[in-house]
Amino acid sequence: MGYFEPPHVLSNTLSLFFEKQDDIKGRSKEVENILNELLPNTYSLSAVLSIPDQADPSLPRIVFNSAVDYSQVFVSQINITIQVNYPEDRQADFTKIKQDVARRMSVLFNIARKANLECLYGGILSSVVLYFNGEDRELIEILSKKLLRIDYTNTHDIEIKITTCEGKFYKNLTYRNFRDWDTQIHYHTIRLSDRDIKRRGVLIVCDYNDRYAYNESLDYKTSESITDDIIEGTFNTINESIELLKS
């Protein structure tokens, strides 16, 4: 009988959204100075991307790479984002990761404040994996019974997204089974046979944000006071999702 291994957090993406800033590329040095003030010797300007001002405003215009960890800062015309990809030896420590998220959310709000960017809404996109020690048919059976209640006899893959509203917040939750093969880089099509699968499991992606309040209330603007609610909502949702699959 197969079983789930302890969960691992692959990455967290923290974002704050603001009114469109057409001149954001011209403010790269200003943002760099703010980052150096808040986090000395941590981030350096990687690139000001040559994306036309008329292009999709959500596309990053400015990229900062960290010299001390596995994170990057992206700035577009409408948001600023910190993306953290955790090394494998740190992915299982939920307590430290939660503390790390709180610290970085504070940094985001401070950047926005110092740059005079009025924040509209914000949120956290968290990617978590549950590796499964067992066969594909067992994993598909679990997902089918817990999430879909369908006939899973010939089902090979499952991906489902559920969006709910909780007070001020959208809770977007995606489940997807995956397989990993021990493959090298090839310049031709390779066979990915079930017999050669090295690891399998479920990817859980939780996107928890207060855009619902922004959408529904004309005078709503997010603030740092909402941070704890977003963090708790994110991690509670992840833990509930894990318990649902393991129960």
Side-chain angles (χ1 to χ4, degrees):
M1 182 67 180
Y3 61 89
F4 286 108
E5 297 177 8
H8 287 67
V9 181
L10 298 182
S11 65
N12 279 312
T13 302
L14 293 56
S15 300
L16 289 177
F17 290 79
F18 40 78
E19 296 288 359
K20 187 168 179 281
Q21 307 290 310
D22 292 321
D23 64 338
I24 198 66
K25 285 195 292 187
R27 301 180 65 184
S28 60
K29 192 63 179 178
E30 176 189 356
V31 178
E32 182 179 26
N33 291 338
I34 292 171
L35 276 170
N36 284 329
E37 179 185 344
L38 295 171
L39 298 169
N41 304 313
T42 301
Y43 289 100
S44 59
L45 179 61
S46 171
V48 178
L49 303 179
S50 56
I51 296 174
D53 292 340
Q54 298 76 25
D56 182 349
S58 67
L59 294 174
R61 267 59 174 185
I62 310 170
V63 182
F64 297 90
N65 286 328
S66 172
V68 299
D69 60 21
Y70 298 85
S71 68
Q72 290 179 296
V73 175
F74 301 95
V75 186
S76 77
Q77 291 180 331
I78 60 171
N79 67 6
I80 183 166
T81 296
I82 298 179
Q83 180 173 306
V84 190
N85 297 304
Y86 299 101
E88 192 164 356
D89 61 351
R90 300 181 189 176
Q91 292 174 359
D93 194 334
F94 273 51
T95 299
K96 287 187 177 179
I97 288 173
K98 191 174 180 181
Q99 293 169 348
D100 178 68
V101 167
R103 178 178 63 86
R104 294 181 193 271
M105 283 295 288
S106 180
V107 169
L108 267 188
F109 274 103
N110 274 296
I111 293 171
R113 178 175 55 81
K114 290 178 177 292
N116 294 314
L117 298 170
E118 185 178 40
C119 298
L120 307 177
Y121 60 91
I124 300 169
L125 179 72
S126 188
S127 296
V128 179
V129 292
L130 276 173
Y131 293 112
F132 185 72
N133 194 317
E135 299 299 321
D136 264 2
R137 58 179 178 77
E138 295 177 284
L139 181 57
I140 292 298
E141 179 179 352
I142 291 171
L143 289 174
S144 299
K145 287 183 174 180
K146 298 292 184 180
L147 302 176
L148 298 176
R149 305 186 189 281
I150 63 170
D151 178 6
Y152 52 85
T153 305
N154 295 313
T155 303
H156 191 259
D157 292 305
I158 290 176
E159 181 171 1
I160 181 171
K161 179 180 179 181
I162 305 164
T163 298
T164 54
C165 301
E166 296 184 341
K168 299 178 179 180
F169 307 101
Y170 280 123
K171 180 173 73 174
N172 303 286
L173 191 57
T174 302
Y175 300 86
R176 176 173 63 82
N177 67 297
F178 69 87
R179 304 170 187 84
D180 287 339
W181 288 265
D182 186 15
T183 58
Q184 304 297 320
I185 296 175
H186 292 272
Y187 297 97
H188 58 273
T189 302
I190 60 174
R191 286 188 174 89
L192 299 176
S193 171
D194 288 350
R195 64 179 175 272
D196 296 325
I197 294 171
K198 299 302 180 183
R199 290 195 301 188
R200 58 176 55 80
V202 179
L203 174 68
I204 302 171
V205 179
C206 175
D207 179 4
Y208 199 94
N209 60 74
D210 62 342
R211 182 166 185 172
Y212 183 71
Y214 174 74
N215 284 348
E216 300 301 325
S217 176
L218 293 178
D219 58 353
Y220 183 82
K221 300 288 191 300
T222 197
S223 68
E224 192 166 0
S225 63
I226 206 75
T227 298
D228 287 346
D229 291 335
I230 292 177
I231 293 172
E232 290 302 318
T234 299
F235 281 86
N236 288 343
T237 299
I238 290 169
N239 288 328
E240 289 167 3
S241 302
I242 292 167
E243 289 306 312
L244 172 66
L245 295 180
K246 295 177 71 174
S247 63

